[in-house]
């Protein structure tokens, strides 16, 4: 097998040969995109802070050392690098930089204005409310003295959110005014802008959706069920398709997502959406103009029989997107992406065992952890040890298959008594693909 360096030295072939794509970020969520860019024959130029542990650095053709939050610096670096396209996946942090590069250099992709709406929960909520998209009642709170009056409008329990952080960072569920005041102080200190909102806590069924927008055309809205790890703020650790639900609920979710995409002006990008069904009404929690994280691109690849990262790359390059989408081969059963986690895994990793051969129904298996990494249990998605994506005839079969593969990924640590993921004997699930 050739090395990344040998690939870089070889002649590039493919429909994007000679073109240069700026990929924002070099984390595990961008590695699939970097590989897709290179498979298309383009040069993958990665903008990232230069930290050796980021896996995308080893995959890139070129690395631009940059703080992806420093928008003007990224734009200048992109201009000097002479890039022809810009893209990202699974990451909100660099969205405004992506939009600024696209706007400034006249490239295809999410606009800076739309990226700002995605990255600012307050601006997003305002725009969604103006467009009539169902969303939780909220109040912007700029001081601790405003917490009490805000709670009178939202009621308790409530959710306190920093407006400009990714995922569950800076998000706190509160039951009392005292908890809300403390949460506001913490969220304000974590927020880059210092802005915080308090919103009504919706109770019901939390789920999500992936979508893809080419020009003004929404190519698909795919609703998926979410598997959540318990905690004060539940952490997504898995996703599955299809989600069992009344057809009316799925139709409502499709309509709400399309309304929200239009309201935020999302174009030429993948879209990740968080939803909540509350008393029969689908509410939009938030959405952003990039593919979802935690196995969602691999899940979409499995569901549609194509490389979803390549769809993102083709969109940035304006390269036969509709033709590629029409050539998909959808899977007619169920598919499941599950993150490998272990709340008891602590210590330095001394060894990793993973299966040498995989059944055909495993569409993706990754181990994020390396020998020498220090494990400290599980508190967020950053602590995931890997992921597995499987397909099957039913969701129950997918769960059985995923558990079978999960049990074969074993990590040894130097912490006696708390070795991570000790293996167990399991029977092989059915061999239907």
């Amino acid at each position: 097998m050739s090395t990344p360096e040998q690939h870089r030295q070889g002649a590039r072939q493919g429909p994007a040969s000679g073109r240069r794509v700026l990929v924002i970020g070099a984390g595990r969520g961008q590695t699939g995109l970097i590989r897709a860019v290179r498979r298309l024959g383009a040069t993958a130029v990665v903008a990232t802070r230069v930290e050796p542990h980021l896996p995308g650095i080893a995959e890139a053709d070129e690395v631009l050392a940059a703080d992806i939050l420093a928008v003007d610096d990224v734009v200048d670096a992109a201009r000097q690098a002479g890039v022809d396209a810009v893209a990202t996946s699974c990451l909100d942090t660099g969205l405004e930089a992506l939009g600024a590069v696209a706007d400034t250099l006249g490239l295809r992709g999410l606009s800076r204005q739309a990226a700002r709406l995605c990255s600012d929960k307050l601006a997003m909520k305002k725009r969604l409310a103006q467009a009539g998209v169902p969303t939780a009642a909220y109040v912007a709170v700029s001081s601790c003295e405003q917490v009490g009056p805000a709670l009178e409008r939202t009621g308790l329990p409530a959710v306190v959110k920093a407006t400009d952080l990714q995922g569950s960072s800076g998000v706190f569920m509160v039951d009392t005014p005292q908890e809300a005041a403390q949460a506001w102080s913490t969220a304000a200190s974590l927020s880059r802008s210092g802005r915080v909102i308090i919103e009504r806590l919706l109770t019901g069924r939390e789920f999500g959706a992936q979508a893809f927008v080419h020009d003004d055309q929404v190519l698909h809205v795919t609703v998926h069920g979410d598997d959540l790890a318990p905690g004060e703020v539940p952490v997504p650790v898995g996703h599955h398709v299809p989600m069992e639900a009344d057809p009316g609920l799925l139709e409502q979710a499709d309509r709400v997502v399309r309304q929200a995409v239009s309201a935020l002006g999302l174009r030429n990008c993948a879209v990740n959406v968080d939803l909540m069904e509350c008393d029969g009404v689908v509410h939009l929690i938030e959405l952003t103009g990039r593919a979802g994280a935690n196995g969602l691109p691999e899940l979409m690849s499995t569901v549609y029989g194509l490389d979803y990262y390549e769809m993102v790359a083709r969109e940035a390059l304006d390269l036969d997107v509709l033709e590629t989408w029409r050539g998909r081969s959808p899977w007619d059963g169920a598919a499941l992406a599950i993150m490998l986690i272990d709340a008891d895994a602590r210590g330095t990793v001394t060894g990793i065992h993973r299966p040498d051969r995989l059944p055909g129904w495993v569409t993706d298996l990754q181990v994020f952890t390396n020998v020498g990494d220090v494990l400290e249990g599980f508190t967020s998605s950053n602590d995931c040890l890997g992921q597995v994506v499987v397909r099957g005839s039913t969701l129950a079969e997918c769960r059985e298959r995923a558990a079978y593969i999960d049990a074969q990924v074993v990590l040894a640590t130097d912490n006696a008594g708390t070795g991570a993921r000790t293996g167990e004997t399991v029977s092989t699930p059915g061999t239907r693909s």
Side-chain angles (χ1 to χ4, degrees):
M1 180 177 294
S2 57
T3 67
E5 182 60 30
Q6 289 170 328
H7 279 300
R8 283 192 282 271
Q9 293 173 354
R12 281 294 167 83
Q13 298 179 348
S17 178
R19 303 180 68 181
R20 296 165 61 78
V21 179
L22 178 65
V23 176
I24 306 292
R28 71 180 190 234
Q30 292 79 59
T31 55
L33 177 58
I34 295 168
R35 292 168 185 161
V37 166
R38 301 185 72 250
R39 279 197 305 274
L40 289 171
T43 298
V45 183
V46 174
T48 180
R49 288 183 174 176
V50 183
E51 300 177 23
H53 70 278
L54 292 176
I57 291 177
E59 301 281 348
D61 294 297
E62 300 176 19
V63 176
L64 298 180
D67 178 354
I68 60 177
L69 288 172
V71 174
D72 292 340
D73 291 348
V74 176
V75 172
D76 289 343
R79 183 186 291 110
Q80 293 174 20
V83 299
D84 304 293
V86 59
T88 194
S89 60
C90 312
L91 180 71
D92 288 336
T93 308
L95 275 186
E96 187 173 348
L98 184 154
V101 169
D103 287 354
T104 304
L105 302 187
L107 306 180
R108 190 174 183 83
L110 191 72
S111 70
R112 185 173 186 177
Q113 180 183 18
R116 281 176 167 169
L117 290 172
C118 291
S119 303
D120 185 330
K121 292 180 175 66
L122 175 57
M124 179 191 299
K125 296 278 284 189
K126 288 180 178 178
R127 186 63 63 90
L128 293 175
Q130 290 168 357
V133 178
T135 186
Y138 72 97
V139 181
V141 179
S142 57
S143 70
C144 192
E145 289 72 25
Q146 295 177 354
V147 171
L151 293 176
E152 292 178 4
R153 295 176 59 183
T154 65
L156 285 167
V159 183
V160 180
K161 293 182 177 180
T163 63
D164 54 3
L165 300 179
Q166 181 172 347
S168 58
S169 299
V171 178
F172 305 94
M173 296 181 184
V174 297
D175 294 310
T176 68
Q178 294 76 19
E179 289 177 359
Q182 180 59 51
W184 177 87
S185 178
T186 303
S189 67
L190 293 173
S191 168
R192 292 185 291 270
S193 64
R195 293 191 297 175
V196 177
I197 60 173
I198 297 179
E199 66 180 33
R200 179 173 298 155
L201 175 65
L202 298 176
T203 57
R205 184 180 189 181
E206 185 172 343
F207 61 104
Q210 300 299 295
F212 202 99
V213 189
H214 175 70
D215 294 330
D216 292 323
Q217 181 181 359
V218 179
L219 299 186
H220 77 97
V221 175
T222 303
V223 174
H224 54 78
D226 292 343
D227 297 283
L228 305 174
E232 181 180 352
V233 178
V235 178
V237 293
H239 309 281
H240 56 269
V241 174
M243 183 183 82
E244 293 184 0
D246 181 89
L249 181 69
L250 299 177
E251 292 172 4
Q252 187 183 162
D254 183 285
R255 183 171 62 253
V256 166
V257 170
R258 291 174 187 271
Q259 289 175 336
V261 165
S262 177
L264 267 60
L266 302 183
R267 301 177 76 243
N268 307 322
C269 62
V271 182
N272 180 60
V273 192
D274 295 331
L275 300 161
M276 173 76 78
E277 181 271 322
C278 182
D279 297 326
V281 177
V282 175
H283 292 73
L284 197 140
I285 300 174
E286 61 185 49
L287 74 165
T288 187
R290 48 84 175 171
N294 295 324
L296 278 165
E298 291 82 4
L299 182 67
M300 292 300 101
S301 297
T302 302
V303 169
Y304 288 111
L306 49 69
D307 188 324
Y308 206 68
Y309 289 112
E310 185 176 308
M311 280 287 292
V312 173
R314 285 182 176 272
E315 185 61 54
L317 289 158
D318 197 15
L319 191 65
D320 300 329
V321 174
L322 294 180
E323 291 81 354
T324 301
W325 180 246
R326 283 193 287 266
R328 66 193 182 278
S329 301
W331 175 249
D332 61 2
L336 170 70
I338 287 290
M339 309 308 290
L340 308 182
I341 64 173
D342 188 344
D344 298 322
R346 288 178 170 79
T348 301
V349 177
T350 58
I352 301 172
H353 171 78
R354 52 176 289 166
D356 295 326
R357 294 185 179 181
L358 295 173
W361 40 259
V362 176
T363 60
D364 181 74
L365 174 62
Q366 299 180 49
V367 178
F368 307 142
T369 306
N370 298 302
V371 171
D373 288 350
V374 177
L375 306 181
E376 298 178 346
F378 177 81
T379 57
S380 74
S381 59
N382 292 329
D383 299 319
C384 293
L385 306 174
Q387 71 181 33
V388 60
V389 184
V390 301
R391 64 186 183 187
S393 58
T394 65
L395 180 57
E397 183 177 57
C398 287
R399 292 196 185 283
E400 179 186 2
R401 289 176 165 183
Y404 170 71
I405 299 299
D406 186 348
Q408 294 184 66
V409 179
V410 180
L411 308 183
T413 72
D414 63 357
N415 194 352
T418 60
R421 310 179 58 75
T422 55
E424 58 183 82
T425 302
V426 291
S427 58
T428 306
T431 57
R432 297 190 307 276
S433 58

